[in-house]
């Protein structure tokens, strides 16, 4: 069993991985935490973070394709804002309530 401080740190690290890099690191950190940790709350936070990052990539590709139509630029701007604000909200919620996993709104849960 891990301590509350370790639970907070690993959960926050999962959600904040996107701030380290928007490439493979943002997915690699939650995968590593998911595979190496036994705590159910930390695993659920890592899974949710992984789903969020995968959804961001999918929405980014769709928005990039829609640039040809014109609306894609606005969608990419909105996606950039969402990808910055939602992980911050997740980290704040995790630090305030370490026993509850955070669930992102409006995402498809693939993992």
């Amino acid at each position: 069993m891990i301590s509350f401080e370790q639970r907070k740190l690993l959960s926050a690290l999962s959600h904040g991985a996107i701030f380290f890099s928007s490439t493979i690191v943002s997915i690699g950190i939650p995968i590593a935490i998911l595979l190496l940790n036994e705590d159910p709350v930390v695993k659920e936070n890592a899974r949710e973070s992984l789903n969020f990052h995968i959804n961001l990539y999918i929405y980014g590709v769709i928005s990039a394709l829609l640039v040809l139509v014109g609306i894609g630029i606005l969608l990419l701007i909105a996606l950039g804002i969402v990808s910055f604000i939602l992980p911050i909200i997740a980290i704040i919620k995790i630090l305030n309530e370490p026993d509850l996993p955070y669930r992102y709104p409006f995402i498809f849960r693939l993992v």
Side-chain angles (χ1 to χ4, degrees), residues 35-74:
L35 295 176
L36 298 175
N37 201 301
E38 296 298 322
D39 187 68
V41 175
V42 173
K43 286 177 90 76
E44 187 58 36
N45 278 314
R47 189 175 292 116
E48 189 70 11
S49 173
L50 187 59
N51 280 319
F52 178 68
H53 294 126
I54 291 170
N55 273 261
L56 284 179
Y57 290 138
I58 292 169
Y59 295 148
V61 168
I62 293 170
S63 298
L65 292 173
L66 290 174
V67 166
L68 300 172
V69 182
I71 193 168
I73 295 171
L74 294 174

Side-chain angles (χ1 to χ4, degrees), residues 7 12 15 17 19 22 31 36 43 45 61 63 69-71 74 77 80 86 88 92 94 96 99 102-103 110-111:
R7 178 180 283 173
H15 291 290
F19 298 124
S22 62
I31 288 173
L36 298 175
K43 286 177 90 76
N45 278 314
V61 168
S63 298
V69 182
I71 193 168
L74 294 174
I77 292 169
L86 285 181
I88 292 174
I92 291 170
I94 291 300
N96 288 332
D99 291 333
Y102 181 75
R103 303 278 290 185
L110 305 169
V111 179

